Amino acid sequence: LKSETEAALAAATDLRAWDAIRVGVLGKSGRLTGLLKELGRLSAEERRERGAALNRLKEELTALVEARRLDLEAAALDARLAAERIDVTLPPRPSATGLIHPISRTMDEMAAIFGAMGFAIAEGPDIENDWLNFSALNIPAHHSAREDMDTFYLPAQTPGGRRPVLRTHTSPVQARSMLGRELPFRVIVPGRTYRADHDATHSPMFHQVEGLVLDRNITLGHLKGCLIDFLRSFFGISDLPVRFRSSYFPFTEPSMEVDIGWNRKTGELGGGGDWLEILGSGMVHPKVLANCGIDPREWQGFAFGMGIERVTMLKHGIPDLRTFYESDIRWLRHYGFNP
Ligand code: PHE
């Protein structure tokens, strides 16, 4: 029985087989247990002798079984360690970090530049009413500017007969700020704007940033200084030529369009001899101040507005407006920014 058990244990390669052998030998109806049970049928003399021998055998078998268990457990642990080992020399999996869209990047840069000049960020809803989008800004009903802006009207009426529109510019937030903020203040307003226009250089949804400064004794000189500083800082060209050209907006008087220098042939910004229109601006019209309950004899201000896509395309050499909204991951990998 001992040599048989030894051979069987050696052949057992896992704990399950080992346990079957243990039960078959030492279990309740195991072979050794059977032999012990037979002792009762022997005489006292024989029983003493055979009993002692069987007890020795039992100890030996128990030792054999126990030793094999330790072997098998050690082997099982080795196998697990080998299987679950971590190879710290493997290269890491590529991490999927997102990139900052150029539009967001431009907004962040503008927030930083104007923030350093003391501007806060203001926001307004994409769905405005025609009073805030037009009337408050001195654009009366039937004024050509309402048609020029290719307005999306929404099919509902708000209280007071005001019609909801998708805002055609960020300028309604000028009125919102004048109505809702303590004077004096400076704000910029980045956000989405909408016009029913779609081609290579127009998108029905695009982004603008508005600026508004209201204080006592604000002059055209403040406007010019602020915008020159901003443009040179934003484009990173310390001697970027900036030109102010007389223009017209219903909500500013005088109004000025602002051009920057570039080279029409190479597209390079700077003193290339040509001019490129970049933003609209002007002194806040006294009627706009009055519409918002502000006394124009005490308070003056300047305002400006520009297209975010446009300045982003110029700054980073992005040729096609439509690619901004296509969500093409290859485009984002090329033009996006690391966070
Ligand atoms: N709202 C004007 C536009 O969309 C830009 C502008 C803003 C002009 C503020 C003057 C002052 O074209």
Side-chain angles (χ1 to χ4, degrees), residues 137 139 149 168-172 174 193 195 206 208-212 223 248-252 254-257 277 279-284 302-307:
L137 300 171
I139 310 173
M149 282 186 163
T168 58
H169 48 182
T170 41
S171 301
Q174 281 194 39
T193 49
R195 294 181 195 177
F206 59 106
Q208 285 190 338
V209 66
E210 192 86 7
L212 175 63
L223 179 159
Y248 173 76
F249 298 102
F251 32 93
T252 48
S255 301
M256 290 181 299
E257 272 167 329
E277 183 193 322
L279 60 82
S281 69
M283 302 305 290
V284 180
F302 68 83
F304 56 88
M306 74 189 107

Short mmCIF file of all heavy atoms in Angstrom, two decimals, residues 137 139 149 168-172 174 193 195 206 208-212 223 248-252 254-257 277 279-284 302-307, ligand 1:
data_model
loop_
_atom_site.label_atom_id
_atom_site.label_comp_id
_atom_site.label_asym_id
_atom_site.label_seq_id
_atom_site.Cartn_x
_atom_site.Cartn_y
_atom_site.Cartn_z
N LEU A 137 -29.83 98.04 -29.91
CA LEU A 137 -28.56 98.44 -30.52
C LEU A 137 -28.77 99.47 -31.63
O LEU A 137 -27.92 99.62 -32.50
CB LEU A 137 -27.83 97.20 -31.05
CG LEU A 137 -27.50 96.15 -29.98
CD1 LEU A 137 -26.99 94.87 -30.63
CD2 LEU A 137 -26.45 96.70 -29.01
N ILE A 139 -30.75 99.44 -34.12
CA ILE A 139 -31.09 98.92 -35.45
C ILE A 139 -32.61 98.81 -35.48
O ILE A 139 -33.18 97.86 -34.96
CB ILE A 139 -30.48 97.52 -35.70
CG1 ILE A 139 -28.98 97.51 -35.38
CG2 ILE A 139 -30.73 97.08 -37.14
CD1 ILE A 139 -28.34 96.13 -35.45
N MET A 149 -28.08 90.83 -42.19
CA MET A 149 -27.50 89.82 -41.31
C MET A 149 -28.09 88.43 -41.51
O MET A 149 -27.72 87.50 -40.80
CB MET A 149 -27.66 90.27 -39.86
CG MET A 149 -26.64 91.34 -39.48
SD MET A 149 -26.73 91.71 -37.74
CE MET A 149 -25.16 92.54 -37.46
N THR A 168 -27.42 87.16 -34.24
CA THR A 168 -26.61 87.32 -35.45
C THR A 168 -25.23 87.86 -35.15
O THR A 168 -24.38 87.93 -36.03
CB THR A 168 -27.31 88.28 -36.42
OG1 THR A 168 -27.51 89.54 -35.76
CG2 THR A 168 -28.67 87.74 -36.85
N HIS A 169 -25.03 88.30 -33.91
CA HIS A 169 -23.72 88.78 -33.46
C HIS A 169 -23.72 88.69 -31.93
O HIS A 169 -24.75 88.38 -31.32
CB HIS A 169 -23.43 90.20 -33.95
CG HIS A 169 -24.53 91.20 -33.73
ND1 HIS A 169 -24.46 92.50 -34.14
CD2 HIS A 169 -25.77 91.09 -33.14
CE1 HIS A 169 -25.58 93.15 -33.81
NE2 HIS A 169 -26.38 92.32 -33.21
N THR A 170 -22.56 88.91 -31.33
CA THR A 170 -22.51 88.86 -29.87
C THR A 170 -22.89 90.22 -29.25
O THR A 170 -22.95 90.35 -28.04
CB THR A 170 -21.11 88.44 -29.37
OG1 THR A 170 -20.12 89.09 -30.17
CG2 THR A 170 -20.93 86.94 -29.47
N SER A 171 -23.22 91.19 -30.11
CA SER A 171 -23.53 92.54 -29.61
C SER A 171 -24.73 92.62 -28.65
O SER A 171 -24.75 93.51 -27.80
CB SER A 171 -23.71 93.49 -30.79
OG SER A 171 -22.54 93.53 -31.56
N PRO A 172 -25.76 91.73 -28.74
CA PRO A 172 -26.82 91.83 -27.73
C PRO A 172 -26.29 91.72 -26.30
O PRO A 172 -26.91 92.25 -25.37
CB PRO A 172 -27.77 90.68 -28.07
CG PRO A 172 -27.07 89.83 -29.06
CD PRO A 172 -26.10 90.73 -29.76
N GLN A 174 -23.77 93.26 -25.29
CA GLN A 174 -23.50 94.65 -24.91
C GLN A 174 -24.68 95.19 -24.10
O GLN A 174 -24.51 95.72 -23.00
CB GLN A 174 -23.34 95.54 -26.15
CG GLN A 174 -22.00 95.46 -26.85
CD GLN A 174 -21.86 96.62 -27.84
OE1 GLN A 174 -22.27 97.75 -27.55
NE2 GLN A 174 -21.28 96.33 -29.00
N THR A 193 -22.56 82.54 -32.89
CA THR A 193 -23.47 83.46 -33.59
C THR A 193 -23.96 82.77 -34.86
O THR A 193 -23.35 81.80 -35.31
CB THR A 193 -22.73 84.76 -33.95
OG1 THR A 193 -21.49 84.42 -34.57
CG2 THR A 193 -22.44 85.59 -32.70
N ARG A 195 -25.94 83.10 -38.84
CA ARG A 195 -26.50 83.82 -39.99
C ARG A 195 -26.79 82.81 -41.09
O ARG A 195 -26.02 81.87 -41.29
CB ARG A 195 -25.52 84.89 -40.51
CG ARG A 195 -25.31 86.00 -39.50
CD ARG A 195 -24.37 87.08 -40.00
NE ARG A 195 -23.94 87.91 -38.86
CZ ARG A 195 -23.09 88.91 -38.93
NH1 ARG A 195 -22.56 89.24 -40.09
NH2 ARG A 195 -22.75 89.59 -37.86
N PHE A 206 -21.10 80.44 -36.47
CA PHE A 206 -19.68 80.81 -36.34
C PHE A 206 -19.50 81.48 -34.98
O PHE A 206 -20.43 81.49 -34.18
CB PHE A 206 -19.25 81.72 -37.51
CG PHE A 206 -20.02 83.01 -37.61
CD1 PHE A 206 -19.44 84.22 -37.24
CD2 PHE A 206 -21.33 83.03 -38.08
CE1 PHE A 206 -20.15 85.41 -37.33
CE2 PHE A 206 -22.05 84.22 -38.17
CZ PHE A 206 -21.46 85.42 -37.79
N GLN A 208 -17.96 84.71 -32.52
CA GLN A 208 -17.45 86.08 -32.42
C GLN A 208 -16.95 86.30 -31.00
O GLN A 208 -17.32 85.59 -30.07
CB GLN A 208 -18.57 87.10 -32.68
CG GLN A 208 -18.97 87.25 -34.13
CD GLN A 208 -19.90 88.43 -34.33
OE1 GLN A 208 -20.56 88.90 -33.41
NE2 GLN A 208 -19.95 88.92 -35.56
N VAL A 209 -16.13 87.34 -30.87
CA VAL A 209 -15.87 87.86 -29.54
C VAL A 209 -16.18 89.35 -29.59
O VAL A 209 -15.79 90.06 -30.51
CB VAL A 209 -14.44 87.55 -29.05
CG1 VAL A 209 -13.40 88.26 -29.88
CG2 VAL A 209 -14.29 87.92 -27.58
N GLU A 210 -16.98 89.75 -28.61
CA GLU A 210 -17.37 91.14 -28.47
C GLU A 210 -16.55 91.75 -27.36
O GLU A 210 -16.12 91.05 -26.44
CB GLU A 210 -18.85 91.17 -28.06
CG GLU A 210 -19.52 92.51 -28.14
CD GLU A 210 -20.05 92.78 -29.54
OE1 GLU A 210 -20.00 91.85 -30.39
OE2 GLU A 210 -20.49 93.89 -29.80
N GLY A 211 -16.32 93.05 -27.43
CA GLY A 211 -15.68 93.73 -26.30
C GLY A 211 -16.45 94.99 -25.98
O GLY A 211 -17.01 95.62 -26.88
N LEU A 212 -16.54 95.31 -24.71
CA LEU A 212 -17.23 96.55 -24.32
C LEU A 212 -16.58 97.13 -23.08
O LEU A 212 -16.40 96.43 -22.07
CB LEU A 212 -18.72 96.26 -24.04
CG LEU A 212 -19.54 97.45 -23.51
CD1 LEU A 212 -19.60 98.59 -24.53
CD2 LEU A 212 -20.96 96.99 -23.16
N LEU A 223 -9.83 103.28 -27.20
CA LEU A 223 -10.19 102.22 -28.14
C LEU A 223 -8.97 101.81 -28.97
O LEU A 223 -8.63 100.62 -29.08
CB LEU A 223 -11.32 102.71 -29.05
CG LEU A 223 -11.86 101.78 -30.14
CD1 LEU A 223 -13.25 102.23 -30.56
CD2 LEU A 223 -10.97 101.72 -31.37
N TYR A 248 -19.31 102.32 -40.69
CA TYR A 248 -20.63 102.58 -40.11
C TYR A 248 -21.19 101.33 -39.43
O TYR A 248 -21.23 100.24 -40.02
CB TYR A 248 -21.62 103.02 -41.20
CG TYR A 248 -23.02 103.12 -40.63
CD1 TYR A 248 -23.39 104.20 -39.83
CD2 TYR A 248 -23.96 102.11 -40.85
CE1 TYR A 248 -24.66 104.26 -39.26
CE2 TYR A 248 -25.23 102.16 -40.30
CZ TYR A 248 -25.57 103.24 -39.51
OH TYR A 248 -26.81 103.31 -38.94
N PHE A 249 -21.58 101.47 -38.19
CA PHE A 249 -22.43 100.49 -37.51
C PHE A 249 -23.51 101.29 -36.79
O PHE A 249 -23.22 102.38 -36.26
CB PHE A 249 -21.64 99.67 -36.48
CG PHE A 249 -20.53 98.84 -37.07
CD1 PHE A 249 -19.21 99.27 -36.97
CD2 PHE A 249 -20.80 97.64 -37.73
CE1 PHE A 249 -18.18 98.52 -37.52
CE2 PHE A 249 -19.77 96.89 -38.27
CZ PHE A 249 -18.46 97.33 -38.18
N PRO A 250 -24.75 100.79 -36.75
CA PRO A 250 -25.81 101.57 -36.10
C PRO A 250 -25.56 101.81 -34.61
O PRO A 250 -26.06 102.77 -34.05
CB PRO A 250 -27.06 100.69 -36.30
CG PRO A 250 -26.72 99.77 -37.43
CD PRO A 250 -25.24 99.56 -37.35
N PHE A 251 -24.78 100.93 -33.97
CA PHE A 251 -24.65 101.00 -32.52
C PHE A 251 -23.38 101.69 -32.06
O PHE A 251 -23.10 101.75 -30.87
CB PHE A 251 -24.74 99.59 -31.90
CG PHE A 251 -24.19 98.50 -32.79
CD1 PHE A 251 -22.87 98.08 -32.66
CD2 PHE A 251 -24.99 97.90 -33.75
CE1 PHE A 251 -22.37 97.08 -33.49
CE2 PHE A 251 -24.49 96.90 -34.58
CZ PHE A 251 -23.18 96.49 -34.46
N THR A 252 -22.57 102.18 -33.00
CA THR A 252 -21.38 102.94 -32.60
C THR A 252 -21.30 104.22 -33.43
O THR A 252 -21.73 104.27 -34.58
CB THR A 252 -20.08 102.12 -32.81
OG1 THR A 252 -20.10 101.52 -34.11
CG2 THR A 252 -19.94 101.04 -31.75
N PRO A 254 -18.33 107.61 -33.48
CA PRO A 254 -17.99 107.12 -34.80
C PRO A 254 -17.69 105.61 -34.79
O PRO A 254 -17.41 105.04 -33.74
CB PRO A 254 -16.72 107.91 -35.14
CG PRO A 254 -16.10 108.21 -33.81
CD PRO A 254 -17.25 108.43 -32.88
N SER A 255 -17.75 105.02 -35.98
CA SER A 255 -17.43 103.60 -36.15
C SER A 255 -16.15 103.45 -36.95
O SER A 255 -15.87 104.27 -37.83
CB SER A 255 -18.56 102.88 -36.90
OG SER A 255 -19.79 103.01 -36.22
N MET A 256 -15.42 102.41 -36.64
CA MET A 256 -14.18 102.18 -37.38
C MET A 256 -13.98 100.70 -37.64
O MET A 256 -14.21 99.86 -36.75
CB MET A 256 -12.99 102.70 -36.56
CG MET A 256 -12.97 104.21 -36.49
SD MET A 256 -11.58 104.76 -35.57
CE MET A 256 -11.92 104.02 -34.01
N GLU A 257 -13.55 100.42 -38.85
CA GLU A 257 -13.08 99.07 -39.11
C GLU A 257 -11.57 99.07 -38.95
O GLU A 257 -10.91 100.08 -39.20
CB GLU A 257 -13.51 98.61 -40.51
CG GLU A 257 -14.89 97.98 -40.44
CD GLU A 257 -15.54 97.76 -41.78
OE1 GLU A 257 -15.30 98.54 -42.72
OE2 GLU A 257 -16.32 96.80 -41.87
N GLU A 277 -8.90 93.49 -43.47
CA GLU A 277 -9.88 93.89 -42.47
C GLU A 277 -10.02 92.79 -41.42
O GLU A 277 -10.13 91.61 -41.73
CB GLU A 277 -11.23 94.12 -43.14
CG GLU A 277 -12.28 94.60 -42.18
CD GLU A 277 -13.66 94.51 -42.80
OE1 GLU A 277 -13.79 94.79 -44.01
OE2 GLU A 277 -14.60 94.14 -42.08
N LEU A 279 -11.57 93.58 -37.83
CA LEU A 279 -12.66 93.72 -36.85
C LEU A 279 -13.40 95.04 -37.00
O LEU A 279 -12.95 95.96 -37.68
CB LEU A 279 -12.13 93.54 -35.42
CG LEU A 279 -11.05 94.45 -34.84
CD1 LEU A 279 -11.63 95.76 -34.33
CD2 LEU A 279 -10.35 93.74 -33.70
N GLY A 280 -14.58 95.08 -36.35
CA GLY A 280 -15.39 96.29 -36.34
C GLY A 280 -15.38 96.89 -34.94
O GLY A 280 -15.31 96.17 -33.95
N SER A 281 -15.46 98.23 -34.87
CA SER A 281 -15.37 98.86 -33.56
C SER A 281 -15.97 100.26 -33.61
O SER A 281 -16.34 100.75 -34.67
CB SER A 281 -13.91 98.95 -33.12
OG SER A 281 -13.21 99.88 -33.94
N GLY A 282 -16.04 100.89 -32.46
CA GLY A 282 -16.50 102.28 -32.42
C GLY A 282 -16.84 102.70 -31.01
O GLY A 282 -16.80 101.91 -30.07
N MET A 283 -17.17 104.00 -30.90
CA MET A 283 -17.62 104.52 -29.60
C MET A 283 -19.10 104.19 -29.45
O MET A 283 -19.88 104.39 -30.40
CB MET A 283 -17.41 106.04 -29.55
CG MET A 283 -15.97 106.49 -29.77
SD MET A 283 -14.78 105.72 -28.64
CE MET A 283 -15.24 106.51 -27.09
N VAL A 284 -19.48 103.69 -28.29
CA VAL A 284 -20.88 103.27 -28.09
C VAL A 284 -21.81 104.44 -28.38
O VAL A 284 -21.62 105.56 -27.88
CB VAL A 284 -21.09 102.76 -26.65
CG1 VAL A 284 -22.56 102.32 -26.46
CG2 VAL A 284 -20.16 101.59 -26.36
N PHE A 302 -16.40 102.25 -25.47
CA PHE A 302 -16.12 101.76 -26.83
C PHE A 302 -16.43 100.28 -26.89
O PHE A 302 -16.48 99.58 -25.85
CB PHE A 302 -14.68 102.07 -27.27
CG PHE A 302 -13.59 101.33 -26.53
CD1 PHE A 302 -13.22 100.03 -26.89
CD2 PHE A 302 -12.88 101.96 -25.50
CE1 PHE A 302 -12.20 99.37 -26.24
CE2 PHE A 302 -11.85 101.29 -24.83
CZ PHE A 302 -11.51 99.99 -25.20
N ALA A 303 -16.71 99.83 -28.11
CA ALA A 303 -17.07 98.43 -28.31
C ALA A 303 -16.36 97.92 -29.56
O ALA A 303 -15.97 98.71 -30.43
CB ALA A 303 -18.58 98.28 -28.47
N PHE A 304 -16.19 96.62 -29.60
CA PHE A 304 -15.60 96.02 -30.81
C PHE A 304 -16.11 94.61 -30.95
O PHE A 304 -16.62 94.02 -29.97
CB PHE A 304 -14.07 96.04 -30.76
CG PHE A 304 -13.49 95.37 -29.54
CD1 PHE A 304 -13.21 94.00 -29.55
CD2 PHE A 304 -13.20 96.09 -28.39
CE1 PHE A 304 -12.68 93.38 -28.42
CE2 PHE A 304 -12.67 95.47 -27.26
CZ PHE A 304 -12.41 94.12 -27.28
N GLY A 305 -16.01 94.08 -32.15
CA GLY A 305 -16.44 92.70 -32.38
C GLY A 305 -15.63 92.10 -33.51
O GLY A 305 -15.31 92.80 -34.48
N MET A 306 -15.29 90.84 -33.35
CA MET A 306 -14.53 90.19 -34.44
C MET A 306 -14.90 88.72 -34.56
O MET A 306 -15.39 88.11 -33.61
CB MET A 306 -13.03 90.37 -34.25
CG MET A 306 -12.41 89.52 -33.17
SD MET A 306 -10.70 90.02 -32.86
CE MET A 306 -10.89 90.85 -31.29
N GLY A 307 -14.63 88.17 -35.74
CA GLY A 307 -14.91 86.76 -35.99
C GLY A 307 -13.75 85.91 -35.51
O GLY A 307 -12.60 86.14 -35.87
N1 PHE B 1 -21.55 93.35 -34.30
C1 PHE B 1 -20.73 93.75 -35.39
C2 PHE B 1 -20.76 92.66 -36.45
O1 PHE B 1 -21.19 91.57 -36.17
C3 PHE B 1 -19.30 94.01 -34.97
C4 PHE B 1 -19.16 95.20 -34.03
C5 PHE B 1 -19.22 95.02 -32.68
C6 PHE B 1 -18.94 96.47 -34.51
C7 PHE B 1 -19.08 96.08 -31.81
C8 PHE B 1 -18.81 97.54 -33.68
C9 PHE B 1 -18.85 97.36 -32.32
O2 PHE B 1 -20.36 92.85 -37.56
#
